[in-house]
């Protein structure tokens, strides 16, 4: 509210106002008279519960819609991958693993180290509940 409105409201409440403000005075009086009345509308006791149920239902529909589009996207990605493999004549080979067989100990150490760090993290950092 600006200072003119505040001054006008104070003048109306004190009963001192000029004739040039007659339209504003009537508007203020009407607004404040309406604000003093209680509304004719009452909410039922389970109104909040009904709103919560509506929100949960909307979230459930949204989640199922999101899952549908995710499934469509993954399916189309797999189809595109198969089509690309067929059209390009891709032949997978795992020959590179033969050269890595000499590093079996290093791989075992890496896996053990990762598991150790994972367990250490779970002990040090508490989970939020």
């Amino acid at each position: 509210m600006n200072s003119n409105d505040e001054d006008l409201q104070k003048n109306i409440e004190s009963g001192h106002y000029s004739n040039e403000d007659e339209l504003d005075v009537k508007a203020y009086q009407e607004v404040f008279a309406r604000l003093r009345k209680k509304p004719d509308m009452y909410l039922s006791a389970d109104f909040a519960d009904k709103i919560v149920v509506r929100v949960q239902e909307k979230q459930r529909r949204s989640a199922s819609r999101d899952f549908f589009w995710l499934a469509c996207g993954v399916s189309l990605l797999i189809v595109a991958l198969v089509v690309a493999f067929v059209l390009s004549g891709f032949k997978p080979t795992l020959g590179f693993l033969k050269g890595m067989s000499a590093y079996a100990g290093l791989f075992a150490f890496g896996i053990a180290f990762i598991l150790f760090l994972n367990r250490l993290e779970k002990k040090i950092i508490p989970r939020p509940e």
Side-chain angles (χ1 to χ4, degrees), residues 31-90:
V31 166
F32 288 113
R34 297 285 174 114
L35 288 175
R36 284 187 200 100
K37 291 182 184 178
K38 279 192 166 188
D40 297 336
M41 169 180 76
Y42 294 99
L43 299 176
S44 63
D46 62 341
F47 178 76
D49 295 333
K50 289 179 182 178
I51 297 297
V52 169
V53 167
R54 282 187 181 177
V55 168
Q56 288 174 341
E57 180 66 25
K58 189 172 184 177
Q59 286 177 342
R60 187 192 60 77
R61 282 193 310 264
S62 176
S64 64
R65 187 178 325 121
D66 290 347
F67 180 75
F68 169 76
W69 286 113
L70 176 67
C72 287
V74 169
S75 300
L76 288 174
L77 183 66
I78 290 171
V79 167
L81 183 67
V82 169
V83 168
F85 282 171
V86 168
L87 292 178
S88 68
F90 178 73

Side-chain angles (χ1 to χ4, degrees), residues 107-124:
F107 287 126
F109 171 76
I111 291 172
F113 189 64
I114 289 170
L115 292 174
F116 169 73
L117 290 178
N118 190 11
R119 189 172 194 120
L120 184 65
E121 177 191 16
K122 288 182 180 179
K123 287 184 179 183
I124 292 174

Side-chain angles (χ1 to χ4, degrees), residues 2-46:
N2 63 27
S3 62
N4 292 339
D5 289 341
E6 289 177 12
D7 292 340
L8 181 61
Q9 184 176 353
K10 287 177 186 174
N11 290 339
I12 291 170
E13 290 172 356
S14 66
H16 303 102
Y17 51 87
S18 64
N19 288 340
E20 62 190 37
D21 294 331
E22 191 67 31
L23 187 59
D24 290 334
V25 169
K26 287 181 182 179
Y28 269 101
Q29 289 172 342
E30 181 69 25
V31 166
F32 288 113
R34 297 285 174 114
L35 288 175
R36 284 187 200 100
K37 291 182 184 178
K38 279 192 166 188
D40 297 336
M41 169 180 76
Y42 294 99
L43 299 176
S44 63
D46 62 341

